[in-house]
Amino acid sequence: MAGVRRNLTSTIASTLPILLPWIPSKNTAPEKWRLIKAHGTAVGLPSEDDMGNSEVGHNALGAGRIFAQGAKLVDLALASGKIYDGDGFKYIKECFDNGTLHLIGLLSDGGVHSRLDQLQLLLKGAVDNGAKRIRVHILTDGRDVLDGSSIGFVETLEKDLSNLREKGFDAQIASGGGRMYVTMDRYENDWDVVKRGWDAQVLGEAPYKFRNAVEAVKKLREEPKANDQYLPPFVIVDESGNPVGPIKDGDAVVTFNFRADRMVMLAKALEYEDFDKFDRVRVPKVHYAGMLQYDGELKLPGHYLVSPPEIDRTSGEYLVHNGVRTFACSETVKFGHVTFFWNGNRSGYFNQELEEYVEIPSDVGITFNVQPKMKAKEIAEKARDAILSGKFDQVRVNLPNGDMVGHTGDIEATIVACKVADDAVKMIIDAIEQVGGIFVITADHGNAEDMVKRDKSGKPLLDKNGNLQILTSHTLQPVPIAIGGPGLAPGARFRNDVPHRWTCQCSCNCDESSWI
């Protein structure tokens, strides 16, 4: 195991094209680098059109192998019909005769957290299996898909529900809001986000009330600086002004997102009797199931429609079981990625005597472009100290700046974010050089390397005023991986027999021979 002593595995979302140029000396320059896929089938997603994301990226990095991931698992279960034969569906079906089926999730075709076509199939399967009354609680995207696309998604869903109503089913949208402001917080960063969703979905209370969801989204998007990610919560009301679909005793609830991290907090609010993060006011007795189980260690939720991938023999588990001392660190927004996701969707330690996990609290209550430096310096300092301490054989960190600030679409803030990530990596590599170690630097998906919308030829798109249209989502671009450090064996090299199947669209002028 001497070959892994005092090395660094650093996952840095979308910053690598900027990382490499500043490395100052021969000893610290990457001995090798390549471009690798971080999307589609290369990370277990259904198709080459599926953007990579932090969850599947860290699963693949931590496991060192490809597993069928959330979207693909759900696709297989829906296509085969097995989803309707499982214990999870049977559990919610018990409420169909007398209760309402509530579906809560991200209304999008981005393929990162959910997909519209899966929701459509689930709606069809639910009515085919006895659901008579259905309410959908939508969360608008604008992050994994283009901002403004929410209107089209809502119109599509409304048409589907109208068709169901014509067939005698009581099916409506009941509430909504933007994903970053309603429901979809993660890592317990801001429980107010979940509370806003709870108030709309369960209590039927929100600052805005509309007769239909298309009107709601169009009106709310007319507000200055409005965007899909941060739409305020709203409820749909009937002609008397009463909410059409609050969750009540005897109802069934399904959160249809397949990605785990932004559903765990709502799952806790729905399932935990001793929940104390906010005043739920009313806690309906429901049959709740996730699309998947969102936390295997916590067994949360207790019921789910599709079994999660069984990711075994992760690198973290392997190293610890062989006596290798490991250290993992990030700030709150990515802490779960270098721990939970890295370890195969498993919470906690394998062996706390050999592992140390450090979470640095993220900023709360502001958008990331307001403070683009985030906690990069603090993460780097923790990593540096861990490396120099001699207590650990492997150190892994995630610097989230390129991803989280890139999602805001603020190019100036993203430049600051990438620069501070560069500085942080330099601090870490300097420490590795001091101890004679090895570094591995890569990214879990693309984001900040391209921040404008493009046509099929790659040409930037302009709005009606001639301004560039901003891209806030992940990308399909390859990401660099670099290895180096004074401890790297002279004969170490990358494989050159891994096939590639796409043409680079980035501005790096990279040679296809560098792709793996």
Side-chain angles (χ1 to χ4, degrees):
M1 303 307 296
V4 298
R5 294 186 64 81
R6 296 179 188 170
N7 68 352
L8 167 73
T9 301
S10 176
T11 59
I12 305 163
S14 311
T15 64
L16 267 294
I18 301 169
L19 271 180
L20 302 179
W22 54 253
I23 300 178
S25 72
K26 182 176 180 180
N27 288 337
T28 58
E31 323 290 342
K32 310 283 182 183
W33 78 276
R34 289 290 187 270
L35 291 172
I36 57 175
K37 288 185 179 182
H39 75 285
T41 58
V43 290
L45 296 170
S47 76
E48 296 307 305
D49 293 327
D50 291 312
M51 291 180 292
N53 62 70
S54 299
E55 177 186 9
V56 302
H58 284 79
N59 278 168
L61 286 165
R65 310 184 322 277
I66 299 171
F67 289 83
Q69 285 290 343
K72 190 170 185 178
L73 291 171
V74 175
D75 284 341
L76 293 172
L78 286 167
S80 66
K82 289 182 178 179
I83 192 171
Y84 307 113
D85 298 326
D87 292 339
F89 192 84
K90 291 177 181 177
Y91 178 65
I92 64 167
K93 187 176 179 179
E94 293 174 5
C95 302
F96 286 1
D97 286 341
N98 301 309
T100 300
L101 170 62
H102 297 266
L103 302 173
I104 304 173
L106 187 66
L107 189 65
S108 168
D109 65 2
V112 175
H113 293 268
S114 66
R115 285 214 322 268
L116 175 59
D117 63 318
Q118 292 180 349
L119 173 60
Q120 291 172 310
L121 288 172
L122 187 59
L123 282 167
K124 181 181 184 302
V127 299
D128 287 346
N129 282 273
K132 301 178 180 65
R133 191 170 190 268
I134 299 174
R135 294 294 182 266
V136 186
H137 304 265
I138 63 171
L139 303 167
T140 53
D141 192 350
R143 185 178 178 93
D144 302 325
V145 294
L146 300 181
D147 183 46
S149 59
S150 60
I151 296 173
F153 293 133
V154 175
E155 288 174 338
T156 298
L157 178 58
E158 285 281 28
K159 182 178 180 180
D160 292 341
L161 297 177
S162 176
N163 290 337
L164 289 178
R165 290 194 294 272
E166 291 176 0
K167 297 176 182 178
F169 299 98
D170 182 1
Q172 300 182 59
I173 294 175
S175 74
R179 56 175 286 177
M180 297 300 288
Y181 195 66
V182 179
T183 300
M184 283 178 58
D185 191 49
R186 62 181 175 187
Y187 308 144
E188 303 196 11
N189 193 48
D190 187 354
W191 278 102
D192 284 343
V193 174
V194 183
K195 183 182 186 302
R196 284 189 281 268
W198 183 273
D199 290 349
Q201 297 149 6
V202 177
L203 307 181
E205 297 175 357
Y208 296 92
K209 298 179 180 179
F210 296 92
R211 291 298 306 278
N212 68 77
V214 174
E215 176 194 9
V217 173
K218 287 183 176 179
K219 286 290 186 182
L220 293 175
R221 280 192 53 82
E222 291 175 358
E223 295 296 318
K225 298 183 179 180
N227 63 62
D228 290 347
Q229 294 186 57
Y230 289 93
L231 291 185
F234 62 86
V235 295
I236 305 304
V237 297
D238 61 20
E239 61 224 13
S240 301
N242 298 315
V244 300
I247 299 171
K248 299 179 179 179
D249 288 350
D251 288 348
V253 178
V254 171
T255 45
F256 60 82
N257 284 19
F258 47 73
R259 177 166 161 170
D261 56 351
R262 293 191 183 274
M263 284 288 105
V264 169
M265 293 168 71
L266 175 57
K268 290 179 178 179
L270 286 166
E271 290 222 329
Y272 285 0
E273 291 184 7
D274 58 351
F275 181 87
D276 62 358
K277 301 302 182 181
F278 60 82
D279 183 2
R280 292 179 290 182
V281 182
R282 180 173 60 83
V283 185
K285 297 178 181 179
V286 300
H287 284 203
Y288 165 53
M291 181 65 88
L292 293 100
Q293 186 171 60
Y294 299 129
D295 191 319
E297 184 73 12
L298 298 175
K299 308 300 180 186
L300 187 73
H303 298 85
Y304 43 92
L305 303 186
V306 180
S307 297
E310 296 181 3
I311 301 178
D312 60 351
R313 297 182 292 116
T314 64
S315 63
E317 182 178 17
Y318 176 82
L319 294 176
V320 167
H321 286 177
N322 282 276
V324 177
R325 302 164 299 173
T326 64
F327 176 89
C329 176
S330 189
E331 60 176 282
T332 302
V333 293
K334 294 292 184 181
F335 176 69
H337 294 81
V338 291
T339 55
F340 174 80
F341 290 128
W342 189 277
N343 290 334
N345 304 332
R346 180 188 185 279
S347 295
Y349 292 92
F350 293 109
N351 183 338
Q352 194 163 356
E353 293 182 1
L354 293 176
E355 296 174 280
E356 182 177 338
Y357 299 162
V358 174
E359 176 184 356
I360 298 171
S362 291
D363 296 318
V364 178
I366 60 171
T367 55
F368 293 105
N369 59 322
V370 174
Q371 184 55 268
K373 294 183 178 181
M374 300 179 66
K375 305 300 177 184
K377 180 181 178 182
E378 292 88 337
I379 294 169
E381 290 172 343
K382 292 291 186 183
R384 175 201 62 196
D385 294 347
I387 293 164
L388 297 179
S389 73
K391 292 168 54 180
F392 303 100
D393 303 309
Q394 187 209 45
V395 169
R396 62 179 182 264
V397 302
N398 180 301
L399 298 170
N401 306 65
D403 184 29
M404 303 308 294
V405 184
H407 275 307
T408 69
D410 186 331
I411 183 64
E412 297 299 329
T414 304
I415 292 171
V416 173
C418 291
K419 177 59 168 65
V420 75
D422 290 352
D423 295 340
V425 173
K426 183 180 186 302
M427 182 187 300
I428 295 169
I429 289 181
D430 286 347
I432 293 168
E433 187 174 50
Q434 290 185 53
V435 300
I438 303 167
F439 64 78
V440 178
I441 307 174
T442 191
D444 50 352
H445 55 74
N447 187 326
E449 79 283 358
D450 195 355
M451 296 188 66
V452 296
K453 301 173 188 176
R454 300 179 184 275
D455 61 22
K456 293 182 179 180
S457 69
K459 183 179 178 181
L461 295 173
L462 305 179
D463 63 21
K464 61 183 179 181
N465 297 317
N467 299 315
L468 288 171
Q469 294 189 35
I470 301 302
L471 180 70
T472 60
S473 68
H474 296 172
T475 73
L476 299 177
Q477 299 299 339
V479 301
I481 181 170
I483 65 172
L488 184 68
R493 67 184 190 279
F494 283 111
R495 291 175 58 180
N496 58 12
D497 60 344
V498 180
H500 57 79
R501 297 190 294 274
W502 86 104
T503 301
C504 184
Q505 297 293 323
C506 65
S507 58
C508 62
N509 297 316
C510 51
D511 186 336
E512 289 187 6
S513 64
S514 67
W515 302 352
I516 64 172

